[in-house]
Amino acid sequence: LPQFLDAGESMSAKQPVGAARKRIGPFTVKAVLGEGGMGTVYRASRKGEDAAVKVIRPTLLDKPDIRERFEREAQLLQTVDNPHVARIIGFDATKKSAPWLATEYIDGPSLKEWSEKGRKLSEDEWSDIAEGVLSGLAAIHEKGIIHRDIKPANVMMSDDGPKIIDFGISKEEGQTALT
């Protein structure tokens, strides 16, 4: 695979952390990475390991069975083992806090951000990217999970190749949307 990141290029935090959220489970929050319909994603660390931690939006907690569906999704995602899928580090869907899901932190831009910079790649390099994304999707589908929001913004570019992220609206085959 090509070297995806220029020297010094990384997925930096978009906002500093406010005083309201300093910890999520065992993680110490460093910064806000982004917000979406499902919740907020934070850059956080635990024992020297950085993570991207998604916390479900409080307004979604009124939905019936949201915690159970969230926990089932997290358990399924933990079974996916592929270098092109963000590794699940931990989760908590108990009632003691808002549900959260921690994945490995990928220090690189999204494919969307990366491609908008006007990178000129050969056919072989684009083929390597496509093969990585397809390998990740195949591993996800083997576990009966459908991502449902695969797009350049949900593919992070690392020195190890593309990695699929953001399973907030994935579902099990034959099931309704999980979260």
Side-chain angles (χ1 to χ4, degrees):
L1 288 173
Q3 182 72 20
F4 288 113
L5 302 178
D6 292 333
E9 183 180 21
S10 69
M11 178 64 181
S12 59
K14 296 183 178 168
Q15 305 172 37
V17 177
R21 182 163 292 279
K22 297 288 186 192
R23 294 196 60 80
I24 302 168
F27 294 90
T28 301
V29 175
K30 294 180 172 184
V32 176
L33 292 174
E35 293 188 52
M38 290 301 302
T40 303
V41 180
Y42 299 90
R43 182 175 182 176
S45 66
R46 174 183 68 182
K47 299 178 185 176
E49 179 181 26
D50 278 354
V53 183
K54 179 185 273 189
V55 178
I56 298 297
R57 187 176 303 285
T59 56
L60 295 176
L61 296 178
D62 293 339
K63 291 186 175 188
D65 303 325
I66 189 76
R67 290 178 188 278
E68 293 82 8
R69 292 169 26 210
F70 183 85
E71 183 173 17
R72 186 173 70 235
E73 176 181 330
Q75 288 171 342
L76 278 170
L77 291 171
Q78 280 187 316
T79 67
V80 176
D81 183 19
N82 183 278
H84 299 290
V85 177
R87 178 177 48 87
I88 304 298
I89 296 171
F91 66 92
D92 185 358
T94 62
K95 292 188 179 189
K96 61 184 171 186
S97 67
W100 58 266
L101 173 72
T103 64
E104 69 179 296
Y105 175 77
I106 299 154
D107 194 19
S110 70
L111 179 57
K112 179 181 187 293
E113 294 166 331
W114 189 76
S115 63
E116 287 174 347
K117 290 184 176 187
R119 300 289 172 95
K120 303 292 183 207
L121 296 177
S122 70
E123 282 184 36
D124 287 344
E125 290 169 323
W126 279 115
S127 178
D128 288 344
I129 293 168
E131 285 177 21
V133 172
L134 290 172
S135 170
L137 285 173
I140 293 165
H141 291 172
E142 281 177 14
K143 300 297 182 176
I145 303 167
I146 300 170
H147 190 288
R148 294 183 10 146
D149 196 26
I150 193 70
K151 60 186 178 184
N154 287 340
V155 176
M156 300 300 294
M157 302 304 293
S158 74
D159 285 339
D160 298 326
K163 289 194 181 232
I164 299 169
I165 63 165
D166 196 357
F167 295 89
I169 62 169
S170 66
K171 70 174 195 170
E172 280 181 88
E173 289 183 274
Q175 301 292 315
T176 58
L178 293 174
T179 56

